[in-house]
Amino acid sequence: MQKIAVTTLALIFLMACSPPTEKTTEKTTELTVSVSKEQGTSVTSEMDVTKDYHSFANPEQVMVTHIDLDLTANFDEKKLTGTAELTYEKQTPTASQLVLDTRALTITRVTSAGKDISFDLAEADPNLGAALTISLPENGQTIVVEYHTSPSASGAQWLTPAQTAGKKQPFLFTQAQAVHARSFIPLQDSPQVRVTYNATIRTPKELLAVMSAANDPETERDGVYEFNMPQPIPSYLIALAIGDLQFKAMGPRTGVYAEPALLEAAAAEFSDTESMLEVTEKTYGPYSWDRYDLLILPPSFPFGGMENPRLSFITPTVIAGDKSLVSLIAHELAHSWSGNTVTNATWRDLWLNEGFTTYLTYRIMEMIFGTDRYNMEAVLGYQDLQADIASLDPNDQILAIDLRGRNPDDVFSNIPYEKGALFLREIEQKIGRGNFDAFLLQYFEDFAFKSITTDEFISYLDKTLLTNYANELDKKRIEDWIFSPGIPEGAPVPESDAFVNIDTTRSNWLSGSIDANDIVTSNWTVHEWLYFLNNMPKLLTAEQLANLDAAFDLTRSKNNEIAHSWLMIAVKNEYEPAYQRLYSYLTSIGRNKLVKPLYRELAKTPQGKAFAKRAFDEAKPGYHPLTVKANQGFVE
Ligand code: BES
Ligand code: ZN
């Protein structure tokens, strides 16, 4: 990213002429002021806030509106091969070229009405892939691209039978967000472009294909599967999975797809999904997507969940046996409103997806599980946010983050999630919950099936809440939340009564006034365990570690979040008895949120790094490309 440093005087002048906080509806460019610990303040070049800096596509000239896919999955070659027929609309009569995004795709032919047409595949950019420029015929509305994917496509993972629960059949899944749809479909890979799609997916006969589209649980398993997504969706929500999958209904509109070995446990764990759907509809308006099903992925899935419409993709690491980690389902479901219906226009605006969704997640969890759990989850989220604010570069603490020249994958943090949610919580507290819910309901309706920038959101606030609650809200403060690092002073601080007791218990144990065996934990929830462990001082004595482990068997915890917190403590304190579990944890789970902090912590000492390298080298063939990329730097 290019930064032009300016003198303090020049900066004062610039800010006086055009304060970065004064934005209007029409304005689409802004000078971003960056704050950096090391370099002081600098001004970056002008940004067009409506432009998607992570796509080569030219939707302002030619817009793709529909895609017909016909793809064959070849598990031996780890390739999808086939055609994408794109229906487009010229936005300007003179437009003659269609520019698509691709990444590591082999394009064999492009045709229009059966005739070859010329195309050019540019050199690849490491973050964005390669632009595919197609010369359009004078008349016509569709072109067909014949192509195949690369075995190392960044948005697809091909698993061998050994890497699945059943061990007998292979598995394929895609993960398109943020900029990986282009690695398995040549398309306009920008959240500003919405398409409907149909697909024919050809697989080995024993396997079932599912997509982010209408799935028929009763479909015949014959190796040819037809899909239709009638609502226009952004490209990052196109998703495909193929495996030995079975379906079990959980409610009239909800069900789960999983490998047979996991199906019953998943259906039991997520049995509240239908109620979650109902309470969310009641508060935020009708669900727009017909069915809501879950797909349980193998443990290498690099995220907790992904909100692929009609079919959220879910990590198996949250099947804990006690519903303790089901806020993930509330989160992916909530995206059906914030994200899938109202969509961030660029990756700078990700907080509009994730912050609203995190806010909704808390609210859904409260409606289903009550206020105690709501408070506990909010405190844990707040602590994650505090940790990020303590460690991230100030520019990366800004909700409307400047991602130009960067790969969105590299900037994943709690900021868009928890800071975004805290901002909305503040508005809720200032104007009252009922009023804020009414606002959200209207917002989801007004922007349904549209993409929205941060700046459009602020203009919308101007016309709505800032007008109707002029005494309660202040535009300057709202801009502070969105454009400044950190958390504004006086922001809400989530609190939990249950955690007060945990603080007392922890202090008593740390001071030696009680032994771990004397702590009554029979009524502790997973959240209380996490709070107990996450707030331990960094260094504990060997005796303290042994005392905790002997009393609570933490090294063998079956809850993946508790195990994670304990293993973090173990690494910081080089607690060797946990290292075998640490090794099996790192080599069996690919979810970045769980493994990355462990690799980062291990990499701080030479012995830790050597251990991390052994685990990484063993795990690498089974890790998703994104997990490899996120962690390999720690072991090099
Ligand atoms: N949409 C995200 C995952 C994502 C975000 C992928 C940005 C790529 C780029 C998904 O909804 C998500 O937020 N998952 C979280 C869930 C958690 C916050 C409950 C995850 O995977 O940890
Ligand atoms: Zn999310």
Side-chain angles (χ1 to χ4, degrees):
M1 186 171 63
Q2 212 191 353
K3 275 190 192 160
I4 310 151
V6 291
T7 63
T8 316
L9 242 184
L11 180 66
I12 292 166
F13 174 74
L14 261 172
M15 292 177 79
C17 293
S18 129
T21 49
E22 255 182 41
K23 287 174 195 69
T24 63
T25 343
E26 303 80 47
K27 194 167 167 192
T28 58
T29 59
E30 69 171 28
L31 270 180
T32 43
V33 177
S34 313
V35 207
S36 141
K37 267 189 218 142
E38 300 79 33
Q39 299 157 9
T41 307
S42 64
V43 174
T44 57
S45 54
E46 206 159 281
M47 178 184 342
D48 178 351
V49 297
T50 63
K51 183 177 156 71
D52 181 354
Y53 287 94
H54 295 93
S55 169
F56 292 115
N58 61 339
E60 64 293 341
Q61 289 160 349
V62 182
M63 174 96 75
V64 174
T65 57
H66 177 79
I67 303 180
D68 279 290
L69 294 170
D70 188 327
L71 296 173
T72 301
N74 184 327
F75 281 89
D76 295 329
E77 294 184 15
K78 303 192 171 183
K79 278 181 188 166
L80 290 167
T81 304
T83 55
E85 177 171 350
L86 309 183
T87 304
Y88 57 84
E89 283 169 10
K90 289 188 180 174
Q91 306 297 301
T92 56
T94 52
S96 61
Q97 290 188 325
L98 169 63
V99 185
L100 303 177
D101 293 295
T102 73
R103 189 201 292 265
L105 292 183
T106 304
I107 311 295
T108 45
R109 198 175 170 206
V110 182
T111 61
S112 169
K115 292 201 195 82
D116 279 85
I117 52 176
S118 67
F119 63 91
D120 173 66
L121 191 59
E123 211 171 297
D125 171 278
N127 287 338
L128 305 180
L132 172 65
T133 304
I134 294 167
S135 310
L136 294 177
E138 267 191 22
N139 298 306
Q141 277 158 350
T142 66
I143 52 117
V144 179
V145 183
E146 291 183 16
Y147 72 101
H148 64 79
T149 61
S150 152
S152 60
S154 59
Q157 190 179 14
W158 298 83
L159 296 169
T160 63
Q163 292 162 335
T164 67
K167 312 279 177 215
K168 294 210 178 70
Q169 299 291 350
F171 203 107
L172 163 71
F173 66 87
T174 65
Q175 164 58 42
Q177 196 182 12
V179 292
H180 302 286
R182 64 192 69 175
S183 75
F184 56 94
I185 306 171
L187 43 47
Q188 294 186 317
D189 198 6
S190 167
Q192 297 177 5
V193 179
R194 299 182 90 93
V195 295
T196 52
Y197 76 84
N198 294 331
T200 302
I201 304 294
R202 302 166 200 276
T203 74
K205 270 219 279 303
E206 323 70 73
L207 303 182
L208 176 66
V210 288
M211 289 192 85
S212 55
N215 289 285
D216 173 10
E218 312 274 280
T219 188
E220 194 186 331
R221 271 153 210 265
D222 55 3
V224 184
Y225 303 99
E226 308 278 349
F227 300 93
N228 164 241
M229 169 42 92
Q231 290 126 314
I233 58 168
S235 54
Y236 75 90
L237 294 176
I238 301 179
L240 165 68
I242 302 172
D244 179 15
L245 295 169
Q246 300 283 341
F247 175 81
K248 187 173 162 85
M250 297 189 292
R253 283 184 294 172
T254 55
V256 60
Y257 290 87
E259 287 191 68
L262 290 176
L263 190 64
E264 294 301 326
E269 193 81 20
F270 305 132
S271 64
D272 294 306
T273 308
E274 188 83 26
S275 322
M276 289 180 175
L277 177 57
E278 283 166 6
V279 297
T280 317
E281 278 194 304
K282 229 165 109 195
T283 320
Y284 300 112
Y287 179 71
S288 311
W289 304 90
D290 192 29
R291 289 193 57 82
Y292 181 72
D293 293 319
L294 306 175
L295 169 69
I296 310 305
L297 278 302
S300 68
F301 186 57
F303 291 99
M306 178 63 211
E307 66 270 26
N308 298 315
R310 297 178 182 224
L311 183 66
S312 286
F313 284 24
I314 302 295
T315 173
T317 62
V318 292
I319 305 177
D322 58 3
K323 300 185 173 179
S324 55
L325 307 178
V326 299
S327 65
L328 175 76
I329 307 300
H331 180 99
E332 303 314 333
L333 170 70
H335 271 306
S336 305
W337 284 259
S338 43
N340 300 3
T341 302
V342 181
T343 305
N344 54 209
T346 77
W347 298 117
R348 169 182 184 254
D349 311 305
L350 179 71
W351 75 275
L352 291 173
N353 278 14
E354 299 300 344
F356 278 65
T357 294
T358 302
Y359 173 82
L360 260 55
T361 306
Y362 287 132
R363 297 291 308 281
I364 296 168
M365 291 304 286
E366 182 176 29
M367 291 189 272
I368 302 291
F369 294 100
T371 303
D372 287 351
R373 181 151 175 181
Y374 167 79
N375 288 334
M376 290 193 284
E377 294 193 340
V379 172
L380 291 171
Y382 184 72
Q383 293 202 324
D384 290 343
L385 174 61
Q386 295 285 356
D388 273 2
I389 285 178
S391 64
L392 287 173
D393 182 285
N395 290 318
D396 290 350
Q397 301 175 18
I398 293 171
L399 286 178
I401 188 171
D402 183 0
L403 288 176
R404 284 174 298 167
R406 298 174 78 182
N407 186 332
D409 294 339
D410 300 341
V411 201
F412 198 79
S413 82
N414 286 300
I415 299 297
Y417 291 78
E418 297 294 344
K419 182 176 170 182
L422 199 66
F423 166 42
L424 299 182
R425 189 171 164 131
E426 176 172 297
I427 301 181
E428 176 211 305
Q429 288 182 358
K430 289 195 164 159
I431 70 170
R433 187 171 265 196
N435 295 329
F436 190 53
D437 282 346
F439 164 80
L440 287 175
L441 185 101
Q442 192 63 44
Y443 166 72
F444 294 137
E445 199 180 305
D446 288 344
F447 289 93
F449 296 97
K450 293 198 178 99
S451 301
I452 174 170
T453 64
T454 297
D455 309 80
E456 283 166 329
F457 175 68
I458 294 173
S459 310
Y460 183 72
L461 277 185
D462 250 337
K463 286 183 279 181
T464 55
L465 297 185
L466 283 164
T467 306
N468 299 337
Y469 301 95
N471 294 332
E472 289 79 10
L473 300 176
D474 165 37
K475 177 141 183 210
K476 175 80 193 52
R477 184 165 173 94
I478 283 178
E479 288 174 335
D480 208 21
W481 269 104
I482 297 175
F483 297 110
S484 301
I487 303 175
E489 215 161 298
V493 179
E495 283 171 1
S496 149
D497 292 343
F499 286 173
V500 175
N501 299 331
I502 303 292
D503 281 329
T504 311
T505 305
R506 190 190 317 96
S507 307
N508 289 341
W509 176 75
L510 283 167
S511 68
S513 55
I514 55 169
D515 185 272
N517 290 295
D518 300 331
I519 304 175
V520 182
T521 60
S522 50
N523 59 352
W524 281 16
T525 62
V526 169
H527 303 85
E528 285 158 308
W529 277 109
L530 292 174
Y531 185 75
F532 179 69
L533 294 172
N534 290 350
N535 293 286
M536 286 290 174
K538 185 168 177 211
L539 295 181
L540 296 172
T541 65
E543 292 72 38
Q544 285 174 320
L545 292 160
N547 185 219
L548 281 181
D549 205 8
F552 307 127
D553 211 9
L554 291 166
T555 295
R556 295 198 306 164
S557 173
K558 289 197 181 65
N559 186 291
N560 288 306
E561 292 278 356
I562 294 179
H564 171 84
S565 292
W566 173 244
L567 292 172
M568 286 298 288
I569 293 175
V571 175
K572 287 176 190 158
N573 289 279
E574 297 180 22
Y575 176 64
E576 302 259 326
Y579 274 45
Q580 203 182 331
R581 173 75 201 274
L582 175 61
Y583 193 87
S584 65
Y585 194 91
L586 292 173
T587 50
S588 62
I589 294 177
R591 182 179 175 192
N592 258 317
K593 182 191 157 210
L594 297 178
V595 297
K596 191 173 166 185
L598 290 166
Y599 277 119
R600 186 192 290 121
E601 201 57 45
L602 279 165
K604 290 180 180 168
T605 67
Q607 318 86 282
K609 194 165 177 170
F611 178 92
K613 187 167 164 35
R614 279 200 302 284
F616 184 83
D617 288 346
E618 182 178 328
K620 194 176 164 193
Y623 276 160
H624 186 277
L626 289 176
T627 306
V628 172
K629 193 160 164 257
N631 295 290
Q632 68 190 359
F634 297 125
V635 299
E636 270 161 4

